[in-house]
Amino acid sequence: AQKVTQAQTEISVVEKEDVTLDCVYETRDTTYYLFWYKQPPSGELVFLIRRNSFDEQNEISGRYSWNFQKSTSSFNFTITASQVVDSAVYFCALSDNTGFQKLVFGTGTRLLVSP
Amino acid sequence: NAGVTQTPKFRVLKTGQSMTLLCAQDMNHEYMYWYRQDPGMGLRLIHYSVGEGTTAKGEVPDGYNVSRLKKQNFLLGLESAAPSQTSVYFCASSYPSAGLGGYTFGSGTRLTVV
């Protein structure tokens, strides 16, 4: 069975600090996709990134970066120079290999960035 | 470009009442999903549909029924609401190929069963 673990329930940082959100996954599939979503206080779910299992290159998008390591089954998310607007709940998710794109979500990490 | 629209946004039900949540998408997506979000549990899949007229059970289907009579609409029904169904419900849609991107989510429906 597939599983996503986000061990960090809540993280508090001060603005401009760097912060890393951990995601560890379990799957027997060789082909799969990993996702990160952001849920700001307003409640909507915002897609951040998708990574397929064959692409282990790290990705950077502005202040956001993602580190995918198949050897440790991890897909960690780093925010550099955090800002108050980054305060949100962040979800890591894993799709199965059935082709139906059903997602298994982690329990989320709440990030609080204070000024 | 509305994306995925969920109605209603909020609802309070009494135990035993029934209701239907509507999800409508205008992106011509084949796949649609219903998830529920509960504190400390992330999102869990209730039911999903891979095309008009087809539905399938997800991880937590008990107490819910769904229908997809039209490609753009995916309805979630609660026949006899229970307090355990108090949750935030999210609808999502996607293309068949995961390579085309992640889900598009609706804004959610907050349901309270008293």
Side-chain angles (χ1 to χ4, degrees):
Chain A
Q2 298 192 307
K3 185 178 180 181
V4 175
T5 300
Q6 294 181 257
Q8 303 153 309
T9 304
E10 184 170 309
I11 301 174
S12 293
V13 299
V14 178
E15 214 170 14
K16 298 184 183 179
E17 285 186 21
D18 298 346
V19 58
T20 296
L21 309 181
D22 297 334
C23 174
V24 174
Y25 63 93
E26 298 175 27
T27 181
R28 293 181 180 177
D29 294 335
T30 54
T31 302
Y32 52 89
Y33 288 82
L34 292 160
F35 301 82
W36 275 95
Y37 286 88
K38 175 182 180 180
Q39 187 175 44
S42 53
E44 74 271 24
L45 286 155
V46 179
F47 168 75
L48 294 178
I49 190 172
R50 177 195 77 257
R51 173 67 67 203
N52 75 55
S53 54
F54 297 107
D55 183 2
E56 289 192 70
Q57 283 190 339
N58 292 333
E59 182 156 341
I60 298 174
S61 177
R63 296 183 296 106
Y64 294 172
S65 62
W66 290 269
N67 181 277
F68 176 31
Q69 293 195 336
K70 289 179 74 172
S71 61
T72 56
S73 296
S74 65
F75 186 42
N76 296 337
F77 174 31
T78 297
I79 302 174
T80 302
S82 60
Q83 300 176 0
V84 173
V85 294
D86 296 326
S87 296
V89 179
Y90 292 87
F91 291 99
C92 180
L94 169 68
S95 70
D96 64 13
N97 193 30
T98 62
F100 301 143
Q101 296 187 60
K102 295 178 289 179
L103 292 185
V104 173
F105 284 82
T107 52
T109 297
R110 181 179 300 277
L111 175 64
L112 300 173
V113 183
S114 56
Chain B
N1 53 341
V4 176
T5 303
Q6 290 183 234
T7 52
K9 296 192 185 307
F10 303 93
R11 184 74 184 268
V12 178
L13 281 180
K14 293 183 179 179
T15 298
Q17 286 185 322
S18 64
M19 78 164 294
T20 299
L21 282 66
L22 171 64
C23 176
Q25 54 96 2
D26 61 1
M27 297 167 289
N28 202 34
H29 283 172
E30 287 293 331
Y31 294 177
M32 296 186 75
Y33 313 82
W34 276 106
Y35 285 84
R36 60 178 288 173
Q37 181 180 12
D38 301 294
M41 302 187 74
L43 283 80
R44 293 179 293 167
L45 181 64
I46 305 172
H47 285 280
Y48 65 101
S49 167
V50 298
E52 182 177 313
T54 71
T55 63
K57 294 179 180 179
E59 180 186 354
V60 288
D62 294 342
Y64 305 95
N65 56 74
V66 288
S67 64
R68 184 127 179 244
L69 300 179
K70 293 183 178 180
K71 185 177 182 179
Q72 64 267 33
N73 296 336
F74 195 28
L75 279 62
L76 178 71
L78 287 73
E79 289 189 348
S80 179
S84 61
Q85 294 178 304
T86 294
S87 187
V88 180
Y89 292 85
F90 284 98
C91 176
S93 67
S94 72
Y95 289 108
S97 171
L100 291 176
Y103 288 1
T104 300
F105 279 94
S107 57
T109 295
R110 185 174 295 276
L111 175 66
T112 302
V113 182
V114 298

